[in-house]
Amino acid sequence: MKILVSVDIEGVAGVYHPEQVRPGNPEYERARRLMADEANAAIAGAFDGGATEVYVNDSHGGFRNMPPDLLDARAQAIQGKPRYLSMVAGVELGIDGICMIGYHSRAQGRGILAHTINSFAFARVSLNGQELGEMGLYGALAGAYGAPVVAASGDDMFIAEHQPLFPHTRFVQVKRATGANSGISLSPERACAAIREGVAQAVPQAGGVAPLRIEGPVSVDLVAQTTALAELFCQWPTLERTGGTALRFTAPGVEAAVRMVNCLSAMSSMLR
């Protein structure tokens, strides 16, 4: 059984503030190790649950956060960018189930460090009329490859947002949000123990979890953070401006839709 562990950082226990998730400061150096610890807990849980092969996808920012020498040697690490499948790169290898560790609430949600793909660029991302965060977008992209999300971890607001969309996923709560940059967290040791146990219980059930599927064509509605960003994005000829900060495009399927959103995210750096 092949398992992919996709690891973000904002939903990791003990992480609350933007300084912790941005390279170049001591707080980030500590947070990236907490991220690696939770990744290792999920890897161990996957093997405990019967996985024969585990891939771990570094899914935050530049995709090279977790020091490779700190990762469980039994797993194969997927790091660096650009890569077409982004946070679920590796799903094309015939994955039986995905674990999304350290994930977070969607843009303008009530969770800690809430955002969708790029906090500077996007205030809202919707596919076929359904607003989605990163778990929804990348869960649907994984679903296009037939892979279900079997386990996920993060704060209570992240879980409340995503349980209706992923009713058979095992969620592990490692902290409780009390604000955009504040919360109440399990200790890293307790969080890792809970993740390992949750993943170990979820992996054997992978065959009974239905992948999230969004059928094409896919209508993508975006709300940019500023009118200047909307103007920039609509330089792309296939995008339609539908409001001051709103725009729309149509993609043949969910993979093309997500890849296009990531292209726009990269474009936004021109206005930083």
Side-chain angles (χ1 to χ4, degrees), residues 24-250:
N25 64 81
E27 287 202 55
Y28 166 76
E29 292 302 321
R30 177 57 183 152
R32 71 194 295 211
R33 284 162 173 78
L34 296 176
M35 180 185 180
D37 288 343
E38 291 197 4
N40 284 335
I43 294 165
F47 281 115
D48 291 346
T52 56
E53 200 170 340
V54 177
Y55 296 86
V56 58
N57 179 325
D58 191 323
S59 297
H60 173 69
F63 298 162
R64 47 187 181 88
N65 304 276
M66 297 182 292
D69 58 313
L70 297 185
L71 293 173
D72 189 320
R74 294 174 294 175
Q76 298 179 65
I78 300 169
Q79 295 184 297
K81 64 170 32 175
R83 56 193 194 211
Y84 293 153
L85 300 180
S86 189
M87 296 178 77
V88 292
V91 73
E92 73 280 9
L93 300 175
I95 296 299
D96 296 292
I98 295 181
C99 303
M100 294 183 165
I101 304 302
Y103 272 59
H104 50 80
S105 181
R106 64 176 175 253
Q108 300 187 343
R110 296 181 61 187
I112 296 165
L113 295 167
H115 68 281
T116 302
I117 296 181
N118 183 327
S119 59
F120 174 76
F122 306 123
R124 180 174 297 172
V125 180
S126 300
L127 302 190
N128 288 346
Q130 183 170 30
E131 184 177 2
L132 297 173
E134 290 173 17
M135 183 177 181
L137 292 168
Y138 288 104
L141 178 50
Y145 283 80
V149 181
V150 298
S153 71
D155 68 30
D156 58 329
M157 292 292 101
F158 158 73
I159 294 171
E161 282 180 12
H162 291 90
Q163 269 184 330
L165 193 60
F166 297 90
H168 303 297
T169 297
R170 183 175 294 273
F171 286 91
V172 178
Q173 181 180 322
V174 301
K175 57 188 175 183
R176 178 159 59 91
T178 58
N181 299 128
S182 65
I184 302 168
S185 179
L186 297 180
S187 69
E189 181 180 4
R190 286 182 60 196
C192 287
I195 289 169
R196 181 171 183 170
E197 179 182 3
V199 170
Q201 293 173 353
V203 164
Q205 310 302 318
V209 179
L212 174 63
R213 296 190 184 275
I214 298 177
E215 300 301 330
V218 179
S219 177
V220 182
D221 285 282
L222 300 176
V223 177
Q225 292 285 9
T226 66
T227 55
L229 282 163
E231 291 164 0
L232 173 66
F233 296 156
C234 286
Q235 294 292 324
W236 202 295
T238 56
L239 272 63
E240 173 192 4
R241 188 89 172 267
T242 58
T245 56
L247 52 125
R248 177 179 297 140
F249 67 90
T250 301

